[in-house]
Amino acid sequence: QLHLVESGGGVVQPGRSLRLSCAASESTFNTYPIHWFRQDPGKGLEWVAIISRDGSERYYGDSVKGRFTVSRDYSMNAVYLEMHSLRPEDTAVYFCARGAVAADDYWGQGTLVTVSS
Amino acid sequence: DIVMTQSPESLAVSLGERAAINCRSSQTVLSRSNKKNYLAWYQQKPGQPPKLLIYWASARESGVPDRFSGSGSGTDFTLTISSLQAEDVAVYYCQQYYTTARTFGQGTKVEIK
């Protein structure tokens, strides 16, 4: 069974950058689009970004467009989210998830990003 | 973006009783080409990621108990728990995956009465 593990979260000051990683337990991960979602503590879920299977297409939510970049490394079975110009409202738990045809079926446990001075 | 609206916001049900959660989308999530509804239901417990329960509006994910069922088409959907168990206490979200930019309902908290 596929396992996804996010890492790279932490406390960062407004305006600074952070890179999140999503590492998979098996290489089948590389044959699927991968999403990033986030969730404010105690609140709802928001879609952040997606990278296509071959990495040629990347799309972002309006709230992060121009500040966040998603990429993938097939040799590492990993996807990354580079976050720049961070704002307090970016504070959330960030999840990666596999975008299967039928639904977003496998999710990692998440990594907490706190943007605070 | 497609706006997803769930009701109720919270629900208290006795053990063994039925729970129903509604979800409405601001536009159809039914594909004309394959006749599938791009609607999923997730269960989330504290400190855990969302867990996929239902996809294509009514298909149960492998390993999900058959007391969970999904119904509806187009813009109106329902998640039903036929006989609530203690382990079903959680927040439930509907999600549309008709568009690349997924959107979720605000969540329904299910508790034991």
Side-chain angles (χ1 to χ4, degrees):
Chain A
Q1 186 176 1
L2 178 67
H3 289 283
L4 305 180
V5 178
E6 301 93 339
S7 61
V11 180
V12 61
Q13 292 180 327
R16 303 300 291 266
S17 300
L18 208 57
R19 188 177 87 150
L20 306 183
S21 300
C22 170
S25 58
E26 54 186 65
S27 60
T28 57
F29 174 82
N30 294 330
T31 64
Y32 289 85
I34 301 299
H35 294 271
W36 284 98
F37 296 94
R38 68 185 182 183
Q39 186 171 35
D40 285 356
K43 295 188 180 178
L45 290 152
E46 179 186 11
W47 175 78
V48 173
I50 183 176
I51 185 166
S52 63
R53 182 175 61 181
D54 66 0
S56 65
E57 296 180 70
R58 310 172 195 199
Y59 300 99
Y60 302 91
D62 288 343
S63 60
V64 308
K65 203 173 295 182
R67 300 187 299 122
F68 289 15
T69 302
V70 60
S71 61
R72 63 192 311 167
D73 183 335
Y74 297 96
S75 66
M76 298 295 290
N77 300 334
V79 167
Y80 305 101
L81 186 68
E82 298 228 19
M83 306 185 297
H84 301 287
S85 303
L86 282 162
R87 305 167 180 168
E89 54 265 35
D90 295 318
T91 295
V93 176
Y94 285 73
F95 299 99
C96 60
R98 185 177 85 165
V101 172
D104 306 322
D105 52 2
Y106 287 94
W107 292 57
Q109 287 293 317
T111 187
L112 176 62
V113 173
T114 303
V115 184
S116 173
S117 53
Chain B
D1 288 358
I2 299 177
V3 177
M4 308 299 290
T5 303
Q6 281 181 238
S7 62
E9 289 188 5
S10 64
L11 187 58
V13 175
S14 300
L15 287 172
E17 294 299 305
R18 178 179 169 275
I21 301 168
N22 300 305
C23 176
R24 176 166 289 176
S25 57
S26 60
Q27 62 190 75
T28 186
V29 298
L30 173 63
S31 169
R32 292 180 183 176
S33 59
N34 62 10
K35 308 299 184 193
K36 290 184 183 293
N37 287 283
Y38 284 66
L39 190 284
W41 289 96
Y42 293 87
Q43 175 193 67
Q44 188 177 32
K45 297 181 179 180
Q48 295 185 20
K51 174 188 174 184
L52 179 64
L53 297 176
I54 302 287
Y55 58 95
W56 298 139
S58 60
R60 199 178 301 114
E61 177 73 338
S62 176
V64 172
D66 61 7
R67 63 180 180 273
F68 291 93
S69 63
S71 62
S73 184
T75 61
D76 288 281
F77 302 90
T78 301
L79 174 70
T80 302
I81 309 172
S82 61
S83 175
L84 191 75
Q85 304 300 303
E87 60 266 33
D88 301 335
V89 169
V91 178
Y92 293 83
Y93 295 94
C94 62
Q95 179 216 43
Q96 64 80 19
Y97 50 103
Y98 189 80
T99 60
T100 298
R102 279 42 171 152
T103 49
F104 295 83
Q106 75 274 28
T108 295
K109 187 173 185 178
V110 173
E111 300 173 307
I112 305 294
K113 186 187 292 183

